[in-house]
Amino acid sequence: MDIPNVLAPSQFSAGEGGGMRKNPTLICAPVMADSVDKMHLDVSKAKASGADLVEIRLDSLKTFNPSSHLPALINNRPLPLLFTYRPNWEGGMYEGDDNTRFHALRLAMELGADYIDIELKVANQFYDFIRGTAYDKTKVIVSSHNYQQTPSVEDLGDLAARIQATGADIVKIATTALEITDVARMFQIMVHSQVPFIGLVMGDRGLISRILCAKFGGYLTFGTLESGVVSAPGQPTLKDLLHLYNLRQVGPDTKVFGIIGKPVGHSKSPTLFNEAFKSLGINGVYVFLLVDDLAKFLSTYSSTDFVGFSVTIPHKEAAVTCCDEVDPVAKSIGAVNCIIRRPDGKLIGYNTDYVGAISAIEDGLRAKQNGSGTVVSPLAGKLFVVIGAGGAGKALAYGAKEKGARVVIANRTYERARELADLIGGDALALADLDNYHPEDGMILANTTSIGMQPKVDETPVSKHALKYYSLVFDAVYTPKMTRLLTEAEESGATVVTGLEMFLGQAYGQFEKYTGMPAPKQLFKKIMENY
């Protein structure tokens, strides 16, 4: 999908997060408190946190008396307010009749509310109801919510036209993402809309709709005051929009980068790259990309504005076949963890995993040997046991072999271990047999599986009694930084190398591929220290 730049790059007032705003997209904090007092507190909190406006969800109030509560909210408001009184048939909490709702919304308009939201299903009735009402301040948002799926581009276009025909000042369409490619259809409608348009795709697979709407001209996006307290599935926090994604700095010409995986929410790459982009003044944004079908994702988001992707489990091997060209090292490993889209649209695949992990392990061994500065790798001649035969396992096995180590692959299914061992010239064993495997002392162990990753932090791929035969243990998992495997290895006397070291190493390589600039290694280390 080639998405044209339709927003003229103009300057907006300076926003939260420094610098001039690059987009007019408003950040709205939804407030779903059960009392008006709590709503007042939340509105103040939203202002302090940098929101542009607040959505007041009247349907969340335990008791609601419009004639006293609405003036209390509207008078002396610190931020513009959007009033929504969502009925249960449109995903809200209000269970009464429409007339009561209409009365309350009309009163809000008479009192000078900045925005009100009314559902498409009853918009014509509502406009009849308010005919003759004097209101000049209020903009009317007419909304449609689809909690099942995201319709076709044609159907979305028809829906937008129907909403516009009601007389709406602002069109709002919220749909549900069954896969991340659904969001592209929303962007297409957004870019071509002639009226103010709010287009959001709900759910984890729709997250980019809430960030990249600032690139494609969306009128507003929602950011919650607290994580987990959402008014619709998949909403990010206000804090993340402003300080993780630097939303104010996202403009029509901002380049898009991201981490492709499933799952993907644990990744620290967005923190690392967005912080680095901000520090170095690079016009890019780095997002989470929860992808089910890699080939479909890459062909859907084919615009050259989608410049670079980090690839993680389970897509590293599929990435080899999805690229137009693959770096020879990545090809021999059979896994790609970094994809670059060149200006001509061609996709180039690289592997920066093995460099990151192997150099971190070498550094760990050198420190153990008091940094003997021989040219020969400290891995030469060592028995190197790799747990896992996926993309990361292949990368480590390949890298260790290249440094002169004798490689053994341990995997849950022996067949896959055997396959990889044959490929690189090593031995294989079933993971279940690893506990009793010790042909020699001073071996090296590298876990490349997700065993022990949050939330299953009490899991480990090998029992503690077996760890005394290893001089160094590495774990590619870096959430948590000290996994159970590493803690037990340290207790058993082994040197440990955390997945954070590998993470930083592969990130250096990716940054250089993304930007053509040398990686800011000290900055990266500093950012990850805070994490």
Side-chain angles (χ1 to χ4, degrees), residues 166-349:
T166 62
D169 296 302
I170 298 164
V171 173
K172 178 185 175 190
I173 300 176
T175 62
T176 299
L178 300 180
E179 46 186 342
I180 195 169
T181 47
D182 294 345
V183 184
R185 302 198 286 281
M186 188 65 86
F187 289 152
Q188 232 166 317
I189 299 298
M190 186 179 288
V191 150
H192 294 113
S193 179
Q194 301 302 305
V195 295
F197 183 87
I198 301 165
L200 299 167
V201 186
M202 299 181 281
D204 292 340
R205 288 167 174 77
L207 176 63
I208 58 169
S209 71
R210 302 178 177 281
I211 299 152
L212 299 183
C213 57
K215 175 177 171 63
F216 296 123
Y219 186 79
L220 70 73
T221 188
F222 292 94
T224 64
L225 290 172
E226 289 164 61
S227 73
V229 186
V230 300
S231 62
Q235 285 173 343
T237 62
L238 187 56
K239 186 175 170 223
D240 279 354
L241 285 176
L242 287 169
H243 305 292
L244 168 59
Y245 300 112
N246 308 312
L247 194 87
R248 303 294 195 207
Q249 300 304 305
V250 174
D253 48 359
T254 297
K255 300 296 186 203
V256 181
F257 302 83
I259 170 94
I260 295 173
K262 181 184 176 179
V264 76
H266 64 278
S267 173
K268 294 289 176 275
S269 293
T271 303
L272 187 65
F273 283 102
N274 285 318
E275 189 64 37
F277 289 166
K278 184 162 74 176
S279 297
L280 300 167
I282 291 166
N283 186 9
V285 63
Y286 189 105
V287 292
F288 291 98
L289 300 165
L290 177 54
V291 170
D292 298 283
D293 179 334
L294 180 63
K296 188 175 176 184
F297 168 82
L298 292 167
S299 63
T300 301
Y301 295 97
S302 58
S303 152
T304 51
D305 274 4
F306 288 78
V307 178
F309 309 104
S310 313
V311 185
T312 186
I313 297 169
H315 297 303
K316 293 184 182 192
E317 287 149 294
V320 177
T321 55
C322 293
C323 291
D324 298 297
E325 290 172 29
V326 177
D327 180 72
V329 172
K331 195 170 267 176
S332 40
I333 291 171
V336 156
N337 77 320
C338 178
I339 298 176
I340 303 298
R341 180 176 273 118
R342 287 198 316 224
D344 65 1
K346 289 251 190 295
L347 296 170
I348 318 298

Side-chain angles (χ1 to χ4, degrees), residues 60 104 114 129 135 163 182 230 265 285 301 344 436 451 459 498:
S60 69
D114 304 276
F129 181 86
Y135 66 93
I163 294 177
D182 294 345
V230 300
V285 63
Y301 295 97
D344 65 1
N436 303 312
I451 298 170
E459 291 186 0
T498 71

